[in-house]
Amino acid sequence: MNKSNIDRSTPFDADAEAAVLGSALLDGLRLMPVLQGSLQIGAGSFHLPAHRLVWEALESLHAEKSPFIDAVTVTSKLQTLGKLDSIGGRPFIDKLLDGTPTAAHGEYYGDLVRRKALTRRVIEFGNDIDLEARTAEDIDQLVGELSDRVMQLSLGGVFDEKTNAELIDDLIAGWVEATEHKGPTWEISLPWRGGPKSLDVLMGGLEPGLNIIAARPSVGKTTFEAAVSDHVGGVLGKRVARCTLDMTAKRLLQRSVCREAGVSAAKLRAGWANQSQMEKCRTAGAYIKTLPYRINSRDREIGVIAAWIRMQHALDPLGLFTVDFAQLVGASAIGRNAYDANARVGYVSGALKALSLDLEVPSLVLSQLSRPGASNSHKRPELQDLRDSGSLEQDASKVVFLYMNEKIHALMEKECEKVTGKVRPVWVDVMKNQDGETDRLPFWFHAQYFRFEPAEYNFGDWELVTEITAKSMNQGAY
């Protein structure tokens, strides 16, 4: 390619811009949702100022839910805004109509406009990068940020920011609906629901921001994440993007199938499952196949992970994204500081919080807890026990700790040795909650089936331990 022969004028297609506007004037009620939604056309997509003004009038009518979007209403809106003379008056609107005999190809014209607008943004992006690269003090940080910025190019730059009054109206409307229907206002609930003492009610569901689940090894934090993901995908019907750095996608899916089927993974791998259990697994597998989530077990850098999550959200809006777990995520953008665990985890924490708030999608980020010393192994963990970085505590909206109830576990070992390796008493402790209360709830962790179940009583009721363990054995589950 001879670079000297490249046309370096600003790329735009005046005919396509006029055609998409003419199509919207002919069939605005059908086309505006498509143009603004899937094609992400905005005022900035139009290069010519007159075309931009006409589009803004169309956008305004669509936002007002006008029953008519046509040449008459657009002309009236431009007149009201004092912009009609700026475009050349009604003759300009007539010219747009005359040049577009049918609205049938409006989506095609819209895509042409989108592509030209994207080309202009890429050129502008390249110019910015050229300047920043020549003046950057930390080139590693600039390179680390590129993946996020490249992904932003594909998102169209269409933002629908609501006023404070609109946000307050939305809040009150949600509260009214919750009162009338006796149901929660949060969109992303947890699988452990029902009653005022449920974990879902205590936490207030999951909201955009950094939501952390922290535990020491073998207490079930990955099982917790999988249960929430299966619930969001299966019960709520929302897409989930799951990033796992701790195990393969195949192992994650194995856990979901075993939990749904109620069959031990160890028994399946050893070939001890009977025909009835295998049929349960096939049924469970067929169900798990339908869940709308994607698993990424490949990427390990925060910039790449964030770009992948953005891409998934751009393809089809997400209801949740998860990361397992924070201490394993790399951060080459901070250069040699990435070798400092505190600096690395702090950078990852801030990036995931910013990503969640930017996309308005709740996150569920798993974290390790520091190991206790021999003298305080029975001590209730504190927020300062989050491993490697105080930023996790500061950035998080909600922090939940999972930890073993050592006293009841010891008593279970004494009463029924066979059960202790398969069912464990675990506290689910809401340590931080910007939306409500903090408290801890008793759960049983069924390790074989990768399942958490709320305990029917507080772990302080020691006399019930024998009854519970005996019941577990009599059911033949173990």
Side-chain angles (χ1 to χ4, degrees):
M1 178 184 295
N2 189 344
K3 294 184 179 181
S4 63
N5 295 330
I6 295 177
D7 181 5
R8 297 191 178 273
S9 60
T10 301
F12 72 99
D13 189 331
D15 292 337
E17 290 186 8
V20 74
L21 293 174
S23 299
L25 291 169
L26 290 171
D27 194 3
L29 292 179
R30 179 184 70 85
L31 280 176
M32 287 303 293
V34 178
L35 296 174
Q36 284 189 302
S38 59
L39 291 178
Q40 295 191 324
I41 300 295
S45 302
F46 294 88
H47 179 67
L48 297 179
H51 291 165
R52 194 177 301 124
L53 291 174
V54 174
W55 176 261
E56 289 174 349
L58 286 163
E59 276 189 323
S60 180
L61 290 169
H62 180 59
E64 295 167 3
K65 295 181 171 57
S66 172
F68 304 102
I69 300 179
D70 53 28
V72 174
T73 56
V74 169
T75 301
S76 176
K77 175 59 70 174
L78 286 166
Q79 183 71 54
T80 301
L81 297 173
K83 303 293 185 181
L84 186 59
D85 291 341
S86 299
I87 68 168
R90 176 61 194 251
F92 186 79
I93 300 296
D94 292 338
K95 182 179 178 181
L96 292 175
L97 289 171
D98 292 341
T100 314
T102 176
H105 308 302
E107 293 92 336
Y108 173 73
Y109 302 140
D111 191 55
L112 291 177
V113 171
R114 181 194 67 81
R115 289 172 178 272
K116 288 296 183 182
L118 180 58
T119 301
R120 294 195 298 274
R121 288 198 299 274
V122 170
I123 291 172
E124 183 180 0
F125 173 79
N127 291 335
D128 289 343
I129 293 301
D130 178 74
L131 177 61
E132 291 178 40
R134 295 175 187 276
T135 59
E137 294 183 0
D138 188 342
I139 193 64
D140 289 322
Q141 181 174 351
L142 177 61
V143 171
E145 293 171 352
L146 286 181
S147 57
D148 271 359
R149 294 170 64 178
V150 169
M151 184 55 60
Q152 283 288 347
L153 291 174
S154 67
L155 302 181
V158 179
F159 300 98
D160 182 19
E161 295 185 356
K162 293 186 176 182
T163 65
N164 291 344
E166 290 172 328
L167 292 172
I168 292 173
D169 288 342
D170 288 347
L171 281 171
I172 294 176
W175 295 337
V176 169
E177 182 179 358
T179 301
E180 291 176 349
H181 295 89
K182 302 297 181 184
T185 60
W186 46 89
E187 188 174 356
I188 303 300
S189 63
L190 297 171
W192 306 281
R193 309 165 69 183
K197 287 295 185 180
S198 71
L199 182 61
D200 185 48
V201 172
L202 176 61
M203 291 184 64
L206 296 177
E207 302 286 346
L210 191 65
N211 302 287
I212 292 178
I213 305 298
R216 297 185 178 106
S218 301
V219 184
K221 59 181 178 291
T222 304
T223 294
F224 193 98
E225 179 276 333
V228 173
S229 295
D230 288 355
H231 170 77
V232 173
V235 177
L236 304 184
K238 297 182 179 295
R239 293 186 73 237
V240 183
R242 304 173 65 187
C243 298
T244 172
L245 291 80
D246 195 35
M247 62 181 63
T248 64
K250 187 175 181 179
R251 283 186 64 194
L252 274 184
L253 293 172
Q254 170 189 275
R255 291 174 172 227
S256 292
V257 171
C258 290
R259 177 172 53 259
E260 183 68 22
V263 179
S264 163
K267 182 178 289 187
L268 289 166
R269 291 197 301 268
W272 295 343
N274 58 38
Q275 289 301 314
S276 174
Q277 290 170 327
M278 287 304 304
E279 188 57 36
K280 289 180 180 179
C281 289
R282 292 189 185 95
T283 301
Y287 168 70
I288 298 299
K289 288 179 184 179
T290 68
L291 299 186
Y293 56 59
R294 295 293 302 274
I295 300 175
N296 181 349
S297 59
R298 176 191 65 249
D299 298 321
R300 313 189 76 81
E301 280 288 323
I302 183 59
V304 181
I305 288 172
W308 180 80
I309 292 171
R310 287 187 182 278
M311 180 184 69
Q312 292 300 319
H313 187 62
L315 292 172
D316 194 5
L318 297 171
L320 175 72
F321 71 83
T322 70
V323 177
D324 179 12
F325 49 88
Q327 285 77 12
L328 291 180
V329 180
S332 61
I334 61 175
R336 282 182 288 183
N337 286 332
Y339 295 103
D340 182 335
N342 285 288
R344 184 183 69 252
V345 174
Y347 182 84
V348 169
S349 171
L352 291 173
K353 177 179 180 177
L355 178 65
S356 177
L357 294 175
D358 185 29
L359 299 182
E360 296 187 352
V361 174
S363 69
L364 192 65
V365 178
L366 306 191
S367 172
Q368 291 180 323
L369 287 177
S370 299
R371 291 185 179 274
S375 61
N376 61 355
S377 60
H378 298 290
K379 181 183 176 183
R380 180 180 182 181
E382 300 176 355
L383 284 171
Q384 65 188 25
D385 292 322
L386 283 168
R387 186 170 172 181
D388 290 335
S389 178
S391 296
L392 289 169
E393 175 189 347
Q394 296 171 12
D395 291 335
S397 300
K398 301 176 182 182
V399 178
V400 177
F401 283 2
L402 311 178
Y403 53 92
M404 194 89 72
N405 185 300
E406 298 292 350
K407 291 183 178 179
I408 196 171
H409 189 251
L411 187 55
M412 286 174 62
E413 286 185 328
K414 179 180 178 181
E415 297 289 340
C416 189
E417 182 178 351
K418 290 184 178 180
V419 176
T420 54
K422 302 169 185 179
V423 57
R424 303 165 190 169
V426 171
W427 285 113
V428 177
D429 199 342
V430 181
M431 304 290 292
K432 180 180 179 181
N433 186 3
Q434 290 183 347
D435 295 330
E437 304 176 50
T438 59
D439 199 357
R440 63 178 183 175
L441 300 175
F443 273 69
W444 291 113
F445 174 37
H446 298 269
Q448 276 194 318
Y449 308 127
F450 311 106
R451 180 183 297 167
F452 275 98
E453 293 180 355
E456 297 179 358
Y457 60 91
N458 192 289
F459 287 147
D461 299 329
W462 311 117
E463 67 275 9
L464 296 180
V465 174
T466 303
E467 179 183 338
I468 291 294
T469 53
K471 179 180 178 182
S472 299
M473 293 298 292
N474 291 335
Q475 287 177 342
Y478 305 101

